[in-house]
Amino acid sequence: SAVISQKPSRDICQRGTSLTIQCQVDSQVTMMFWYRQQPGQSLTLIATANQGSEATYESGFVIDKFPISRPNLTFSTLTVSNMSPEDSSIYLCSALPRGGVRDNEQFFGPGTRLTVL
Amino acid sequence: AQSVTQPDIHITVSEGASLELRCNYSYGATPYLFWYVQSPGQGLQLLLKYFSGDTLVQGIKGFEAEFKRSQSSFNLRKPSVHWSDAAEYFCAVDNQAGTALIFGKGTTLSVSS
């Protein structure tokens, strides 16, 4: 199993600013992901954070808006840049200890609740 | 493309009553299906998963789900609901590459006394 923590747990930010969310896993994992959960909506995958290389972004998400770092096998950050009220969401980090979801359970962090004024 | 539909946005059941949460999927091959629960302030927790074999899957906290290929459904059930089951429930399917999950919009479960 994997225990995932996220910082901050919540924040209120002004439009035009940026926020970096940290995700820490208590064990080494092969794959880490970032999801967005907009109010009343489902979780949408933003990107896969690859260790040692650039993140892989899903359609509709770009690196300039959501830069991601993955410096090692237990840590990743997501930055929400030049924020607008439409970025108000819960951002969740998740991890796969090894293999894919067909081989292993995907674990989720508690989320970061972001409000942009 | 894969997709998941949870037709019920919000369900209220009485404590001790049975529960069924609906999930329908669209998938080009044999799906890998999951149910997660999200309690306020908590991360998502896996309740159960279906990969193959027996179509009735047992999970944690007394939940079970039945895979019905003919109906493209994977409904979650519990015979007797407890107040602590009040939460958001998400059905998900893997993205065929097996690298990530595609989630439904979720069903909010409220439990009345």
Side-chain angles (χ1 to χ4, degrees):
Chain A
S1 66
V3 177
I4 302 176
S5 59
Q6 288 184 231
K7 290 182 182 179
S9 58
R10 59 176 62 225
D11 207 343
I12 301 173
C13 301
Q14 297 296 320
R15 69 170 66 216
T17 63
S18 298
L19 175 72
T20 295
I21 303 168
Q22 299 180 4
C23 177
Q24 180 73 55
V25 189
D26 69 343
S27 57
Q28 293 185 344
V29 295
T30 55
M31 303 183 77
M32 294 181 72
F33 307 91
W34 287 97
Y35 288 84
R36 181 175 71 182
Q37 185 179 14
Q38 294 178 299
Q41 300 296 315
S42 181
L43 284 77
T44 301
L45 182 63
I46 297 172
T48 302
N50 303 308
Q51 196 269 327
S53 64
E54 281 195 0
T56 305
Y57 289 83
E58 298 299 305
S59 176
F61 297 97
V62 296
I63 187 171
D64 290 345
K65 176 66 176 178
F66 297 102
I68 287 170
S69 77
R70 174 95 192 266
N72 56 50
L73 293 174
T74 64
F75 187 78
S76 177
T77 68
L78 168 75
T79 299
V80 186
S81 303
N82 188 25
M83 289 183 285
S84 67
E86 291 71 35
D87 294 319
S88 298
S89 294
I90 298 174
Y91 292 86
L92 294 105
C93 171
S94 73
L96 272 173
R98 61 187 182 279
V101 291
R102 295 184 172 203
D103 305 311
N104 210 336
E105 178 178 347
Q106 187 167 348
F107 294 91
F108 288 82
T112 295
R113 183 180 294 274
L114 171 62
T115 302
V116 183
L117 303 178
Chain B
Q2 305 94 298
S3 66
V4 178
T5 302
Q6 292 180 248
D8 304 306
I9 297 173
H10 190 187
I11 285 181
T12 299
V13 300
S14 300
E15 189 169 16
S18 64
L19 168 71
E20 182 169 31
L21 302 182
R22 296 183 291 166
C23 172
N24 294 97
Y25 65 88
S26 173
Y27 200 84
T30 302
Y32 282 50
L33 295 157
F34 307 79
W35 274 99
Y36 280 83
V37 60
Q38 184 181 38
S39 299
Q42 305 293 315
L44 276 75
Q45 181 182 22
L46 180 67
L47 287 175
L48 47 79
K49 59 188 177 185
Y50 171 77
F51 286 175
S52 63
D54 193 347
T55 57
L56 185 62
V57 180
Q58 301 298 321
I60 62 171
K61 303 185 179 186
F63 286 93
E64 66 179 26
E66 186 172 12
F67 170 64
K68 292 185 177 180
R69 184 186 298 276
S70 61
Q71 298 177 17
S72 298
S73 69
F74 188 57
N75 295 347
L76 182 72
R77 302 194 294 245
K78 186 170 184 177
S80 178
V81 169
H82 188 261
W83 64 267
S84 60
D85 293 324
E88 186 89 12
Y89 291 80
F90 292 95
C91 182
V93 66
D94 81 295
N95 67 349
Q96 269 194 279
T99 55
L101 297 173
I102 298 167
F103 287 86
K105 291 192 174 183
T107 299
T108 301
L109 173 65
S110 298
V111 180
S112 61
S113 56

